Amino acid sequence: MIDPWSSAIIDYEKLTKQFGIKPFGNLKEEINNPHHLMQRNIIFGQRDYGRILKSMREGSDFAVVSGMMPSGKMHIGHKMIVDQLIWYQKKGADIYIPIADMEAYSARGIDFEASRELAIYEYITNYIALGLDLEKENVNVYLQSENRNLGDLAYILSKKVNFNEMRAIYGFSGSTNIAHMYAPLIQVADILLPQTEECGGPKPTVVPVGPDQDPHIRLTRDIAERFKGKFNFMSPSSTYHRFMTGLTGDKMSSSKPKSAIFLSDSPKEVEKKVKSAKSGGRESLEEQRKLGGVPEDCTVFELLVYHLEPSEKKLEELRESCKNGSIMCGECKKNAASMMKNFFEEFSHKREEAKEKAQKILDREPKC
Ligand code: SF4
């Protein structure tokens, strides 16, 4: 069982076999200018992505849904989702960003006002600063608690789900509070909302997620089938990305400040963090010259792959130099730290500029 509120997934292969996620693999060859996360196999799995490919190819309507739960500071692992949204926006997708304040309340005990503040000053600000245009006509950012269409839809959908099913999927027990139990139904509604009449009717919809969120996808797909006669929903598609390793070598988490680079960190802080991150280097320089390093076990290399190095050629050259022992970790970390610092120098200005825009985003009515 995967629990979306606490599971740390590491065995991706087992997961794909067990839950029927298909490899993303060769699909990237069918995409014009694929995202680097696809190119580098960080996006490793998918369900029904073919219909998204078709929409992109034909230029027909499709939507992407990516919720945010405002429950802590955004770190560089979360940036991956925004990077994907930016890519989909360029491909012409309608963008839906539900802010999961109801889930934050039921699963984390965060009150609605605090969620709203956090969503504006942390999440929406970062999304804008990273380059997502939230002011476009086909972008719908809303708080779950303030979207009446969403609440109605969740209520209608919940008629065809029972406690035994929720227990089997999420492990809920008799002591789980009802609000927590209802939160996944709100998320199901978030995913299906773009296909309602108010939002333009049935259309291919993709949800880019980490594999810990797959229970919501499976439940949504099942429910979409159950309501075929009433809504004619298309089963939503999904993609799955690998999580970033924390700088300390275990899971990157907002609750472990040493493991993460936060988007609100200063350029100096991030430089320091990269320089002290766990690498795949050897015990001594002599050993490293002789045996080479292990880029696959290196969090610095991972930062370059996920975020910093745009050139495939340069990445491969570095991988080779690391493996054959011609570059040492000190020099390599220094280069990566400087790239990260440069990124954050520009980004922290953009964050300041984005704050004013971010405040206005939630003043608008949900589009549907
Ligand atoms: S040389 Fe670079 S990529 Fe290789 S292990 Fe050291 S820090 Fe990592």
Side-chain angles (χ1 to χ4, degrees):
M1 178 183 295
I2 318 170
D3 164 2
W5 297 282
S6 55
S7 291
I9 310 289
I10 35 169
D11 192 342
Y12 295 103
E13 205 175 316
K14 190 172 160 202
L15 180 88
T16 44
K17 277 194 191 131
Q18 197 171 343
F19 293 106
I21 295 171
K22 300 273 184 300
F24 198 86
N26 295 338
L27 289 183
K28 63 190 172 212
E29 274 139 38
E30 295 180 41
I31 301 171
N32 179 18
N33 201 8
H35 196 283
H36 75 269
L37 296 171
M38 296 168 176
Q39 198 70 46
R40 296 174 184 180
N41 297 323
I42 296 162
I43 293 173
F44 67 92
Q46 50 90 20
R47 288 186 200 272
D48 275 341
Y49 200 71
R51 57 179 65 139
I52 303 299
L53 286 179
K54 188 164 178 277
S55 295
M56 289 197 283
R57 211 168 33 235
E58 294 174 354
S60 53
D61 277 358
F62 74 107
V64 53
V65 179
S66 177
M68 58 167 99
M69 178 161 75
S71 67
K73 290 204 286 184
M74 269 184 85
H75 59 61
I76 199 139
H78 299 130
K79 174 177 171 286
M80 249 194 292
I81 283 288
V82 191
D83 289 343
Q84 291 179 67
L85 288 175
I86 294 168
W87 184 83
Y88 280 115
Q89 187 164 56
K90 286 185 188 143
K91 297 281 180 196
D94 295 346
I95 309 281
Y96 284 74
I97 304 177
I99 299 167
D101 59 342
M102 293 177 78
E103 189 189 12
Y105 171 74
S106 61
R108 303 266 192 264
I110 300 170
D111 69 45
F112 292 112
E113 198 41 49
S115 269
R116 188 189 176 89
E117 290 290 295
L118 198 54
I120 294 172
Y121 294 108
E122 181 67 20
Y123 289 76
I124 296 176
T125 298
N126 283 327
Y127 279 41
I128 296 171
L130 286 168
L132 188 65
D133 185 350
L134 297 182
E135 290 173 324
K136 274 192 146 183
E137 198 42 48
N138 62 349
V139 175
N140 195 2
V141 187
Y142 61 85
L143 286 151
Q144 288 177 330
S145 65
E146 291 182 1
N147 190 328
R148 181 65 204 258
N149 287 337
L150 180 82
D152 290 351
L153 180 62
Y155 193 74
I156 292 168
L157 300 178
S158 65
K159 175 86 166 71
K160 293 199 180 183
V161 185
N162 64 34
F163 174 67
N164 286 342
E165 185 177 13
M166 295 303 271
R167 180 170 53 190
I169 299 174
Y170 296 102
F172 292 152
S173 69
S175 62
T176 307
N177 70 67
I178 304 288
H180 191 179
M181 234 179 271
Y182 191 58
L185 271 309
I186 303 276
Q187 297 210 17
V188 169
D190 280 326
I191 296 171
L192 295 175
L193 185 76
Q195 299 196 57
T196 56
E197 209 177 302
E198 293 81 357
C199 296
K203 60 176 76 62
T205 304
V206 60
V207 194
V209 288
D212 58 333
Q213 300 300 309
D214 191 50
H216 297 315
I217 304 290
R218 280 182 274 133
L219 179 63
T220 309
R221 287 166 61 88
D222 285 349
I223 293 179
E225 277 299 312
R226 286 171 211 170
F227 281 88
K228 265 268 177 285
K230 186 171 173 60
F231 291 109
N232 214 11
F233 290 138
M234 296 170 85
S235 219
S237 311
S238 47
T239 62
Y240 303 86
H241 54 254
R242 293 170 197 276
F243 292 116
M244 283 200 78
T245 314
L247 303 178
T248 43
D250 46 20
K251 195 184 170 198
M252 186 174 287
S253 161
S254 300
S255 58
K256 294 186 211 148
K258 284 195 178 147
S259 73
I261 290 176
F262 295 106
L263 295 181
S264 52
D265 281 346
S266 71
K268 266 211 147 89
E269 275 170 309
V270 301
E271 185 184 30
K272 207 169 139 203
K273 282 185 178 179
V274 176
K275 282 186 177 166
S276 53
K278 182 184 167 291
S279 77
R282 305 282 176 178
E283 292 285 306
S284 67
L285 288 180
E286 196 191 355
E287 204 182 326
Q288 187 152 348
R289 277 192 202 100
K290 202 165 124 204
L291 300 173
V294 188
E296 294 78 17
D297 280 344
C298 177
T299 65
V300 179
F301 191 71
E302 205 175 295
L303 287 172
L304 291 160
V305 174
Y306 278 68
H307 298 293
L308 295 174
E309 180 52 76
S311 155
E312 302 299 327
K313 189 166 166 267
K314 283 189 181 165
L315 260 188
E316 278 320 303
E317 283 169 2
L318 175 60
R319 190 198 298 275
E320 259 318 292
S321 312
C322 171
K323 282 178 140 171
N324 67 25
S326 59
I327 186 167
M328 298 294 107
C329 292
E331 182 192 344
C332 185
K333 280 181 167 185
K334 201 171 149 209
N335 294 340
S338 149
M339 287 166 100
M340 190 62 94
K341 186 173 170 232
N342 290 344
F343 172 81
F344 269 77
E345 269 166 2
E346 207 186 324
F347 182 67
S348 34
H349 288 300
K350 287 186 182 162
R351 259 175 66 89
E352 283 312 306
E353 286 166 16
K355 276 181 187 161
E356 202 179 317
K357 270 190 193 169
Q359 284 171 23
K360 294 183 188 144
I361 296 292
L362 291 183
D363 292 341
R364 302 179 312 193
E365 285 286 309
K367 296 240 161 82
C368 53

